[in-house]
Structures are given as C-alpha cells and as structure tokens.
Amino acid sequence: FTVWFGYTIHLKIGDKQAIVNNTRQNLITSPLIQNGRTLVPFRFIGEAVQIPVHFLTDPETKKVTHVYYSSSDMKLVLVIGSMLATVNGITVKLDVPPQIIQGSTMIPLRFVSENLGFHLEWNSVDQTIHLQYPGKFAGRGQQTNRCM
C-alpha cells in the first residue's frame, strides 16, 4: 500500500492554464509542439514541483543564455538555442533546443521531465500531458525526495 504525496501536473497544448495538484495555475506561454516535440515554460515546471530554477544572462544584452534546475544530487543545464545540454556534467544531445518564445524560456518537456525523474503520459487525441513527480512520498516505511 502506497500513499501518493508527490505532484501531479496536467497540461494541454495551446492552453495557458495548467492544473497542479488539482489547483489551476496560469501560464505565461502555453505549451506548444515544435518538430514533433513539446515545449513548455522552464520556470513553471521547476516551480510547480519545488525544484530550484536558475538562469544566466549575457552581461551586455541582458538576455537569458542558460537555464538550469539543480538540487543536492542533480544539475540539468540547458543553453538557449543549443542542441546540447548537460545532466550532472555529462553532455547529451537534444531533439529540439530550448528557446525564447513570446518572452518565455521554453524547454523540451520529455527530455527535462525524464531527466528530473517525472513520469510522463501523452494523449495524442486531445493533446494533453499528464506528469507525476515523486517529490516526497511514503511507501513501505520509506520517505525520499530524490530527483533521479
């Protein structure tokens, strides 16, 4: 018997509203599909599940150049416009780069969610995304908050 204490997120392509643990939240930019990959707002994903979000800017242009999620045992770094990312210092190739769209930093959802330890389900008929993130959960007397 396991009791779920994690996070559940529901998103829909083109919809600026998300549901996080049964609470509606507004998104600045709606999720979208580009080259067969879903892009979602960077900050929303981290903040929705309480993973610290960070960004670096170019000192001259003040534009965001890098975004990353970090915890005590994980660091995932994405470079705006780059097809390469790093996961705990290991370089990996992306199918679609993170990018700025309508003023929001948009990141490839499947790559990020899988590397942060989410369970992701995609419904192609209604273009909805269901995410589960363990956060802290209890089961068989254990409790954890590991991201991987």
Side-chain angles (χ1 to χ4, degrees):
F1 175 92
T2 299
V3 178
W4 180 256
F5 287 102
Y7 298 90
T8 301
I9 302 171
H10 295 278
L11 298 162
K12 182 172 175 61
I13 300 300
D15 191 344
K16 286 189 175 183
Q17 282 201 341
I19 300 172
V20 179
N21 290 346
N22 296 317
T23 302
R24 290 196 181 278
Q25 292 188 15
N26 292 320
L27 303 172
I28 294 172
T29 305
S30 61
L32 58 96
I33 296 176
Q34 186 178 83
N35 298 329
R37 297 292 181 227
T38 301
L39 297 171
V40 297
F42 159 75
R43 183 178 295 271
F44 167 76
I45 292 298
E47 290 179 349
V49 298
Q50 299 181 3
I51 295 173
V53 297
H54 308 277
F55 61 93
L56 300 173
T57 58
D58 181 293
E60 291 180 21
T61 66
K62 307 296 185 217
K63 291 183 179 181
V64 173
T65 59
H66 296 68
V67 293
Y68 62 99
Y69 300 101
S70 66
S71 69
S72 61
D73 62 350
M74 184 276 313
K75 185 171 184 179
L76 182 117
V77 180
L78 300 149
V79 179
I80 305 303
S82 175
M83 296 293 282
L84 300 176
T86 59
V87 180
N88 291 333
I90 299 168
T91 301
V92 292
K93 187 164 176 30
L94 301 170
D95 294 327
V96 62
Q99 52 204 279
I100 308 296
I101 298 174
Q102 299 173 358
S104 291
T105 302
M106 304 292 281
I107 49 103
L109 179 61
R110 183 166 298 276
F111 172 81
V112 168
S113 65
E114 287 176 354
N115 281 285
L116 293 178
F118 285 80
H119 172 75
L120 182 145
E121 293 177 15
W122 163 251
N123 182 322
S124 61
V125 175
D126 60 7
Q127 294 196 314
T128 57
I129 302 140
H130 174 83
L131 296 162
Q132 287 184 307
Y133 180 72
K136 294 183 179 181
F137 66 92
R140 295 195 167 109
Q142 296 179 342
Q143 190 168 14
T144 183
N145 64 356
R146 288 185 51 87
C147 293
M148 309 266 307

